[in-house]
Amino acid sequence: MSINKKILLCLAHMSGNEQRFIDEAFAGNWVVPLGPNVDAFEHSLEDFLCDNTPSPLRVAAVSSGTAAIHLGLILLGVGKGDEVICQSFTFSASANPIVYQGATPVFVDSEAETWNMDPVLLDHAIADRVAKTGRKPRAIVAVHLYGMPARMDDILAVAAKWDIPVLEDAAEALGSTYHGRKCGTLGTFGTLSFNGNKMITTSGGGALVCPDEETRRRAVFFATQAREDRPYYWHEHIGHNYRLSNISAGIGLGQMTVLEEHIAHHRSLAALYAELLADIDGIDYHGNPSPDVDSNFWLSTITINPEITGITPDELRLHFASLNVETRLLWKPLHTQPVFGNCPSYVNGVSDSLFDRGLCLPSGPWVSPDDVRMIVSEMRSCLRK
C-alpha cells in the first residue's frame, strides 16, 4: 500500500486568526511576557473552563504545562523532604516538577476502566506512607490520560479523607468533561498544556487554573522571578521565568476561535475508530466508560491481544511507520523508569499491562475520516497476514 502524505499522530492546526493577534502585538511593541494578548487569552480560557463551575476560577498563562505543575506544587507548599503522590501511567513531566522542589514522587498505578489513578490503591498508598514515614504526602498529582477523565469523585474523596490537596494534570484533557465540569477545574489546582501536539497550541505554553484571584496573583509572582513590590529589585523567595509571551498568547487567542471545532473533530474521529474497530477480534478501542464522562479523545487509543491478532503493538507501529503513518506506544509507566528507580511505588499491574498491549492512533486536526478508514483497513489487512 502506498501513502502519498505522512499522517502524523497529532499536530496543531492554525485557524487563520493567529496572525492578526501577532501583528497587533508587534504593532504595539508588546513582545514581552505580558500584554493585551496574555490578558485576553487568560480571560478566554476562564470563560471556556467556568461552565458549570460553582465558583469563578482564574487562569495564569505560563511557558509550559510543566511550568504550571511546578507553580502549583510551589503554591501547595511542596518542598525538600516532602512526598507527593503521582500517577505512574503518564509522561515524566507530571513527576519531574516534584523533584525540582526537592520532594520525592510516590507512584500509584491505574485502574483498568479509565487508565488513570486507582482510588483504592491511592488510599492504600497514603496509609502506607503515613505508617512508614509518620507523615502524609503533601499533594496528589492526578492525570487525565489521553484526555480521558480520571475517577475524580473517588480520588477527591480519598484526598478529603486525608486532607491532601489535588493538583489536576489536564495537559491532555482541554475540553474533556466529568459530570458536566471541565477537566482542570475539579482539583485544588489544574494545569493545561499548549504544546504543539495538544488540542490547541501557543507553540509551547501552558496554564495554571487557580481557585481565586489572590492565588493567581501569587502564581504570577513566582512565575516572574518572585520580585517583591518595591522600587528596586528585592527577592525573598526563589522565583522562575515562567510567564507566557504576548506573541505566544496571540497564537493562543487565534486557537481559541477553533477550540470547539478541534474537540468536535477529535471526538468524531474517535467515534469512527470505535465503529470500524468494533468487529476486529483482539483489538479494543478505549472509549468513554460511562455517560458521565466525555473525553476530548486527544489521542485515540487501542489495546491489542497478540495471542488473537498475531501481532504486537510494536510490530504494528513499525508496520505503520513503513507506510508513513505515525503511531505511538502508550506511556511507559514512571515506576519502571530508571530516573525514578529509588522512588516508592504502589502497583497492581494495570499500567504495565497497558504498556505491553496499547497503541495510540493518529487523531489530530490534520487526520481525515478517510485517513481513519485507510488506517483501520490496513490494520485488518496486516492482522490477516
Side-chain angles (χ1 to χ4, degrees):
M1 182 176 185
S2 177
I3 300 174
N4 295 325
K5 66 173 183 177
K6 183 171 180 64
I7 300 177
L8 297 172
L9 193 69
C10 188
L11 182 67
H13 185 279
M14 296 295 101
S15 69
N17 299 316
E18 291 82 5
Q19 193 63 50
R20 173 168 64 87
F21 296 108
I22 294 171
D23 289 344
E24 289 174 359
F26 276 101
N29 205 34
W30 284 104
V31 292
V32 289
L34 76 164
N37 285 343
V38 176
D39 296 340
F41 183 48
E42 289 173 338
H43 292 322
S44 182
L45 286 167
E46 289 165 0
D47 290 342
F48 176 78
L49 291 169
C50 284
D51 290 347
N52 298 320
T53 301
S55 60
L57 300 170
R58 299 304 308 277
V59 169
V62 293
S63 56
S64 68
T66 309
I69 294 172
H70 191 194
L71 289 170
L73 294 174
I74 291 171
L75 293 172
L76 291 173
V78 173
K80 187 174 181 180
D82 286 333
E83 291 186 340
V84 174
I85 299 283
C86 183
Q87 185 164 310
S88 180
F89 197 33
T90 182
F91 181 45
S92 63
S94 300
N96 286 339
I98 299 170
V99 182
Y100 301 165
Q101 285 302 101
T104 299
V106 175
F107 295 112
V108 171
D109 214 328
S110 297
E111 40 82 16
E113 189 174 64
T114 71
W115 300 3
N116 293 307
M117 187 180 287
D118 184 334
V120 175
L121 195 57
L122 169 64
D123 188 45
H124 167 73
I126 296 170
D128 193 60
R129 297 321 296 162
V130 171
K132 283 185 167 68
T133 70
R135 299 172 59 196
K136 65 185 179 184
R138 176 71 71 166
I140 298 166
V141 178
V143 183
H144 305 295
L145 199 70
Y146 302 121
M148 183 62 69
R151 288 170 51 186
M152 289 303 294
D153 281 351
D154 296 330
I155 291 171
L156 291 172
V158 173
K161 170 186 172 181
W162 293 97
D163 192 25
I164 300 174
V166 174
L167 194 160
E168 210 183 335
D169 182 349
E172 301 170 0
L174 181 60
S176 299
T177 61
Y178 180 82
H179 294 286
R181 287 182 57 181
K182 298 289 197 330
C183 290
T185 70
L186 300 155
T188 308
F189 290 99
T191 65
L192 304 171
S193 172
F194 310 121
N195 195 20
N197 64 351
K198 295 300 189 296
M199 196 61 66
I200 62 169
T201 188
T202 57
S203 184
L208 181 68
V209 184
C210 303
D212 51 49
E213 175 55 29
E214 174 57 24
T215 310
R216 179 195 170 278
R217 187 191 68 77
R218 290 294 291 170
V220 172
F221 168 76
F222 283 108
T224 51
Q225 300 292 16
R227 179 189 174 187
E228 302 292 340
D229 186 17
R230 298 195 184 191
Y232 48 86
Y233 287 93
W234 184 261
H235 302 272
E236 299 173 6
H237 304 273
I238 296 296
H240 304 273
N241 185 16
Y242 279 167
R243 205 69 165 105
L244 188 68
S245 83
N246 200 52
I247 301 299
S248 295
I251 299 174
L253 274 175
Q255 289 278 282
M256 288 299 291
T257 66
V258 291
L259 172 55
E260 296 282 9
E261 178 183 324
H262 283 189
I263 295 169
H265 179 76
H266 280 253
R267 285 173 173 161
S268 68
L269 293 185
L272 184 57
Y273 272 124
E275 176 189 344
L276 297 176
L277 291 167
D279 65 342
I280 302 181
D281 290 339
I283 293 183
D284 292 310
Y285 185 81
H286 189 220
N288 288 322
S290 73
D292 295 327
V293 300
D294 196 2
S295 174
N296 63 7
F297 292 102
W298 170 61
L299 291 183
S300 279
T301 54
I302 58 173
T303 54
I304 300 166
N305 184 337
E307 294 182 0
I308 297 174
T309 63
I311 193 169
T312 67
D314 200 44
E315 288 170 339
L316 191 57
R317 178 188 67 84
L318 292 171
H319 175 75
F320 276 121
S322 72
L323 300 175
N324 232 12
V325 176
E326 183 184 21
T327 60
R328 182 183 295 166
L329 301 178
L330 301 186
W331 296 119
K332 185 81 165 69
L334 296 184
H335 71 264
T336 69
Q337 300 287 348
V339 71
F340 298 121
N342 293 325
C343 297
S345 60
Y346 296 82
V347 300
N348 54 18
V350 170
S351 62
D352 289 306
S353 175
L354 288 170
F355 171 73
D356 288 340
R357 297 181 293 116
L359 193 69
C360 302
L361 303 175
S363 308
W366 293 98
V367 181
S368 71
D370 284 344
D371 291 333
V372 170
R373 294 184 184 95
M374 179 278 298
I375 289 167
V376 174
S377 175
E378 181 60 28
M379 197 181 302
R380 288 179 182 276
S381 175
C382 183
L383 298 181
R384 284 198 297 266
K385 292 177 182 178

